[in-house]
Amino acid sequence: MSSIIQLLPDHVANQIAAGEVVQRPASVVKELLENAVDAKATDIKLIIKDAGKSLIQVIDNGVGMSVTDARLCFERHATSKIRQAEDLFSLYTKGFRGEALASIAAIAHVEMKTKQGQEELGVHIVIEGSKFVSQEPAVVPNGTSFAIKNLFFNIPARRNFLKSETVEQRHIVDEFQRVAMAHPNIHFTMYHNGSEMFNLPISNYRQRIVTIFSGKTNEKLVPVKEETDIVNLHGFIGKPEFAKKNRGEQFFFVNNRFIKSGYLHHAIMAAYEGLLKDGAQPSYFLYLDVPPHTIDINIHPTKTEIKFDDEHALYAILRSAVKHSLGQFNVAPLLDFDRDPNLDTPYQYQNKEAEYPTIQVDRSYNPFAEDKPNPSFRSVSYKKTEVQPNWESLYVGLKQAGQEIAEMTFENEAVTSSLFDDTETEQEVRRTYQIHKKYIVSPIKSGMVIINQKRAHERVLYESFLTNMTVHQAVSQQLLFPLPLYFSPTEITLIKELQPALESTGFLFEAVHHDHILVSGLPVNVAESEVSIVLEELLSAMQDEIPSQSFSQNDTIAKSMAKSLAIKTGTYLSGKEQENLVHNLFACKEPNVSPFQKPTFITMSVEDLDKKFSL
């Protein structure tokens, strides 16, 4: 019987490895940027075309590679970072597996140019799908340049699974920002389709964060610093009043490597306990330096998850450090009451002793005596009334002793004879009633209908926004002064793409700058104080997934805005408002469910009520 187990060819093995290493264009960006950092570069350029599908190029001024190393770096498990197994527990560099370049070369057209500083000529290598096409000397600057073209050209199924260009671009920006924030001592620049997106000069950690996220980031940062034997912690946290609905500004770096940790995130949320609104997420940019032998960074293919030796101690240190910073910079409320400056001692009385008041008492004074009090005692005199009250006159007209005294009645301020709170007159017939400021009950022929007011309003707003975006007849209310709102460059790019759809709902934009926008008009049902909340929740929803079809994009916008603007549970509605909501709900095309496919109302027949009482 012939053997059925065979060794895979190298090109097949590289494609399988690429499935773990290269999930999307952002994965290539991450690997190439980390290699450039490990090459001790001080200037790194990232050039992207078509969200990485056509071109990903990383140019650095690092140490470069020799001719032999340039050819060998594309072999599987070839690395300059480790020599023996023990080196895995003392890693200070980024890449160490030696899979990245071999995997990338298996699924793309790769062009590499590299030269070391002491050499006169460099080398130019071209690879297509793991096959070496050419290798020749070339005059190139010091450092290395990788150009990755036509990603997944030989795996069309993987290419078809890529998301829209906006989504892939956002993932690339995320990877770029993570590497740039971890290394403020390196000059980073990023270009997309020929336009510059980021230009980050060499700076410190705070300046790098502010440059990336722009806007009012500098105002909301609170420094955190703690040094222990287990971890050296430094970085910044955001003030509670700047918390957002999304988790876009939450970063952990361990030994300058971005990681994700739900356990450490819980420590941050525990420190913010009592300071945040429901659903709000604080911003934090925290850098943890730990001994390499106390962590294992090889438990995940993308190396974004790390195993710590002593997680419990790290949790306690992180929570206490963040809580201490919130209190130290007067972000968290203190136990002491606020000092009133009006109670301070005036300057001219600071060195004087207090004069104690004296009390004079006339012990011989008798308030029931008819003679006047002692004139030597100073007191405030009141004019006596000449008519003395006759207490017996109050009992005239009452019944004789032994009989019941007439009961005294008092007029109430408000007389309520209805089971429900209403202000309508008796002539008006109530058709709806509100229960617990959450449900609206309305009688119908077969019984009654119970409506969830929040979900019902979501359905009404959703169909209204969708109709406006389809017909383009939305009404807008003009603002007297334009409203400035600050966002990160990534969010500004997203707002530019959503601008036509937002304008069709009633928003008007006077200008869109690189770090803020000027809103000059709002939809009729959006208050000025709600604009920032609505746009932030919309951006959070759109960043998760942006379909390429405009109808789907409009659908996502309508859902997000309906969710943000719908009346909340606990809101009192007058009788007229209740009736309008009921009428508008049943005038919708699909009144049975909310935009998120949850029921908006239930019905209860008279038979169902009879069964309840027959028990």
Side-chain angles (χ1 to χ4, degrees), residues 95 137 177 318 381:
Q177 291 177 348
L318 189 60
S381 61

Side-chain angles (χ1 to χ4, degrees), residues 302-511:
T302 60
K303 293 170 289 196
T304 56
E305 296 181 7
I306 289 182
K307 179 65 177 177
F308 296 93
D309 280 353
D310 194 351
E311 288 186 335
H312 297 288
L314 199 61
Y315 182 98
I317 293 172
L318 189 60
R319 182 181 61 178
S320 61
V322 172
K323 207 170 188 66
H324 174 72
S325 294
L326 291 173
Q328 182 181 6
F329 292 91
N330 293 328
V331 177
L334 303 177
L335 293 178
D336 299 335
F337 293 102
D338 294 335
R339 180 178 59 84
D340 189 353
N342 295 326
L343 301 179
D344 292 343
T345 304
Y347 178 77
Q348 60 272 22
Y349 290 97
Q350 286 185 352
N351 298 324
K352 291 185 177 181
E353 295 184 358
E355 296 181 359
Y356 295 96
T358 59
I359 302 176
Q360 296 180 0
V361 180
D362 185 6
R363 299 184 181 276
S364 62
Y365 174 71
N366 184 4
F368 299 100
E370 293 184 358
D371 55 342
K372 295 182 179 180
N374 190 352
S376 62
F377 180 74
R378 297 180 179 179
S379 63
V380 180
S381 61
Y382 297 93
K383 185 178 181 180
K384 291 185 178 181
T385 56
E386 296 180 357
V387 180
Q388 297 294 334
N390 186 3
W391 299 102
E392 296 180 355
S393 62
L394 296 176
Y395 298 94
V396 175
L398 294 180
K399 296 184 178 180
Q400 299 297 327
Q403 298 180 356
E404 295 181 357
I405 301 178
E407 186 177 341
M408 301 177 65
T409 60
F410 299 90
E411 183 180 359
N412 279 330
E413 295 181 357
V415 179
T416 58
S417 59
S418 176
L419 181 62
F420 299 92
D421 295 334
D422 58 358
T423 57
E424 286 81 4
T425 60
E426 296 180 357
Q427 287 78 11
E428 297 178 349
V429 180
R430 290 296 302 270
R431 299 293 301 172
T432 59
Y433 302 95
Q434 189 180 30
I435 299 178
H436 293 296
K437 299 180 180 179
K438 184 177 182 180
Y439 300 105
I440 298 175
V441 179
S442 179
I444 56 178
K445 187 175 181 180
S446 60
M448 64 179 177
V449 59
I450 304 175
I451 302 171
N452 186 306
Q453 65 183 31
K454 181 177 183 297
R455 295 179 184 177
H457 199 207
E458 286 178 353
R459 165 54 62 178
V460 173
L461 292 176
Y462 167 72
E463 294 199 4
S464 174
F465 286 132
L466 208 56
T467 302
N468 291 337
M469 285 186 285
T470 305
V471 185
H472 300 284
Q473 292 182 349
V475 180
S476 178
Q477 53 181 346
Q478 298 290 327
L479 296 178
L480 185 59
F481 300 101
L483 178 65
L485 298 174
Y486 292 85
F487 296 97
S488 65
T490 307
E491 294 172 333
I492 291 293
T493 304
L494 187 54
I495 289 177
K496 289 181 180 179
E497 297 192 7
L498 300 177
Q499 186 172 349
L502 289 174
E503 289 178 346
S504 63
T505 63
F507 282 99
L508 293 179
F509 300 94
E510 182 174 300

Side-chain angles (χ1 to χ4, degrees), residues 3 19 26 56 160 171 185 436 609:
S3 300
I56 300 173
N160 292 335
H171 285 286
N185 57 335
H436 293 296
L609 292 174

